[in-house]
Amino acid sequence: MGSESVAVAAASPARVTPGHVLAVLAVVCWAVGLMQYLLTAALVLARLLARPVQPEGLMTSVWIFMGAAAIAVLAGVRLIALHPGTTMLSRPLVIGTSVVLWAFSSWLIPLLLALGVWRHALRRIPLRYELGWWNLVFPVGMYAVTTHELGRATATSWMTSVGRWEVWIAVVFWAVVFAPMVAARLRARLTTAHGSAGAGQTARPQSTASTAPGALPLP
């Protein structure tokens, strides 16, 4: 995703910057990111074919695979907006590649949801908050932005409308992950406070019986 992020960052100011340096940089990074994505997909597929998937090892990080495809589409959309003749690639080629990647990332969503149901509902893996839950927030948000921007670039009204609704879905995902995180932090603080209080009571010395005035203390 790093190469595609550079492509997005370079293509945005390339529309208003004289010269072709930023545009060429955006195209090169976009192409490198596509090759990296294909190589990573091949490695992941080989891993799945060589060894069966265990529910314990199936983490939320697999959603980043969908997010990587989505940000590649966003980089392609930024290239489409550049002036003709500055990208070294034809506009139909960039649009076609972006649509294919968007379709692939759309296909991954029900697959990843099904894997989540299989992991937690069928294999009984407890559904509790983990830091990896934030791996879901970025892909869902990036897919929403990508759908909206690709609809604008291709003048596809229904895709733009779907993208607007997906933004709200991304907000819901963020809230669903943020609330358990806050609850886990509060629970950890309460546990630490109770543990400290219990340790203080255990270490407190026992009170001794008072002696009468003028009596000598026992040896």
Side-chain angles (χ1 to χ4, degrees), residues 3-67:
S3 299
E4 301 297 351
S5 300
V6 174
V8 173
S12 298
R15 292 177 294 178
V16 295
T17 303
H20 305 290
V21 176
L22 291 178
V24 172
L25 177 62
V27 172
V28 170
C29 290
W30 183 66
V32 170
L34 290 181
M35 295 304 300
Q36 290 175 339
Y37 188 80
L38 293 176
L39 292 175
T40 303
L43 293 175
V44 171
L45 180 61
R47 164 66 175 79
L48 294 177
L49 294 177
R51 190 178 303 174
V53 179
Q54 299 297 330
E56 295 80 7
L58 188 63
M59 303 300 292
T60 53
S61 56
V62 295
W63 280 80
I64 299 178
F65 197 63
M66 187 271 287

Side-chain angles (χ1 to χ4, degrees), residues 21-182:
V21 176
L22 291 178
V24 172
L25 177 62
V27 172
V28 170
C29 290
W30 183 66
V32 170
L34 290 181
M35 295 304 300
Q36 290 175 339
Y37 188 80
L38 293 176
L39 292 175
T40 303
L43 293 175
V44 171
L45 180 61
R47 164 66 175 79
L48 294 177
L49 294 177
R51 190 178 303 174
V53 179
Q54 299 297 330
E56 295 80 7
L58 188 63
M59 303 300 292
T60 53
S61 56
V62 295
W63 280 80
I64 299 178
F65 197 63
M66 187 271 287
I71 195 172
V73 176
L74 183 62
V77 171
R78 294 293 183 263
L79 294 180
I80 296 172
L82 296 179
H83 298 290
T86 60
T87 59
M88 301 184 299
L89 295 173
S90 63
R91 180 183 173 89
L93 175 63
V94 178
I95 293 177
T97 305
S98 300
V99 171
V100 170
L101 286 173
W102 177 83
F104 180 67
S105 60
S106 302
W107 174 79
L108 284 175
I109 293 177
L111 175 63
L112 294 173
L113 291 175
L115 289 176
V117 172
W118 172 75
R119 183 176 190 262
H120 298 289
L122 300 181
R123 293 307 180 94
R124 304 298 182 180
I125 300 297
L127 185 61
R128 56 177 177 269
Y129 172 76
E130 299 174 356
L131 186 61
W133 278 23
W134 288 104
N135 294 328
L136 279 73
V137 177
F138 168 77
V140 174
M142 180 56 63
Y143 179 80
V145 174
T146 294
T147 303
H148 182 269
E149 293 300 311
L150 184 61
R152 290 181 56 187
T154 58
T156 308
S157 58
W158 67 265
M159 187 177 290
T160 306
S161 301
V162 170
R164 293 195 188 99
W165 284 104
E166 288 171 353
V167 170
W168 291 107
I169 296 176
V171 173
V172 171
F173 263 77
W174 179 87
V176 167
V177 176
F178 182 77
M181 183 193 71
V182 174

